[in-house]
């Protein structure tokens, strides 16, 4: 009797995998055969995906909700699909795309259509990942241009900073002594001193 498996992936621990789990449960995938990864789809070095590969056998059936849940890297999705279907002899069903069901159309035309759809969807998936990164970078750049600061807010300078800074600049104390007197790491003190002096 063929084993039935499901694979679920979300990009981070904060994201919710419930929608994918419900879809797999509707296909009667046993709970013990559902593997969930919470990490990026940029490659296939994912612990639960690898564990699933060790368990799944020839003629078993694998469900995924959509092709981008399998991965986001165009070349690697195609390579994994080839390994799973051609080398391992596993059937794959992509629930959001009925054309990507290797149980159907195992003749030349069916395989040809499936390969074309897979290539298009894999390309779209990676392209979206690239666009997300670009939008994030543009958003951060625009926010910085508006004066929005990222990271932890700077702590106020200690009361003795100006006096210690003057002594350090007059070479009365070393940089290390100045940093220690202000209760700061050396790099932090030096950075604050440069900023205070308006040195770029």
């Amino acid at each position: 009797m063929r084993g039935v498996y499901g694979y679920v992936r979300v990009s981070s621990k904060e994201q919710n995998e419930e929608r994918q789990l419900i879809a797999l449960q509707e296909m009667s995938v046993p709970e013990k055969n559902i593997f969930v990864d919470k990490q990026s789809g940029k490659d296939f070095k994912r612990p639960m995906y690898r564990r699933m590969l060790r368990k799944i056998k020839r003629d078993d059936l694998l469900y995924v909700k959509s092709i981008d849940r399998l991965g986001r890297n165009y070349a690697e999705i195609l390579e994994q699909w080839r390994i799973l279907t051609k080398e391992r002899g596993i059937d794959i069903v992509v629930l959001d795309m009925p054309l990507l069901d290797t149980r159907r159309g195992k003749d030349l035309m069916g395989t040809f259509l499936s390969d074309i759809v897979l290539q298009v969807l894999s390309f779209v998936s990676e392209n979206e990942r690239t666009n997300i990164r670009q939008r994030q970078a543009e958003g951060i750049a625009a926010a910085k241009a508006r004066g929005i600061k990222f990271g932890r807010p700077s702590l106020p300078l200690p009361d003795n900073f100006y006096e210690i800074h003057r002594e350090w600049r007059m070479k009365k104390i070393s940089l290390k002594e100045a940093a220690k007197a202000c209760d700061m790491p050396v790099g932090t003190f030096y950075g604050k001193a440069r900023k205070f002096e308006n040195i770029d």
Side-chain angles (χ1 to χ4, degrees), residues 122-200:
S122 300
F123 172 77
V124 168
S125 178
E126 179 166 1
N127 198 45
E128 177 60 14
R129 182 169 161 260
T130 303
N131 288 341
I132 286 168
R133 282 203 310 266
Q134 185 176 338
R135 286 196 295 269
Q136 284 173 336
E138 287 170 357
I140 289 167
K144 283 182 175 175
R146 290 196 309 271
I148 294 171
K149 296 193 186 310
F150 292 86
R152 289 179 298 182
S154 296
L155 293 171
L157 292 173
D159 294 337
N160 65 345
F161 176 81
Y162 303 103
E163 182 187 336
I164 298 295
H165 172 265
R166 189 174 63 251
E167 288 188 13
W168 169 60
R169 277 300 180 203
M170 292 169 68
K171 299 197 180 338
K172 289 184 178 178
I173 56 173
S174 69
L175 176 60
K176 193 172 178 182
E177 288 169 331
K180 189 175 180 183
C182 289
D183 199 23
M184 292 178 181
V186 170
T188 303
F189 177 85
Y190 187 68
K192 301 274 188 194
R194 284 172 62 93
K195 194 170 180 182
F196 171 60
E197 297 162 6
N198 290 319
I199 298 172
D200 244 337

Side-chain angles (χ1 to χ4, degrees), residues 23 44 58 128:
F44 282 85
R58 180 168 291 276
E128 177 60 14

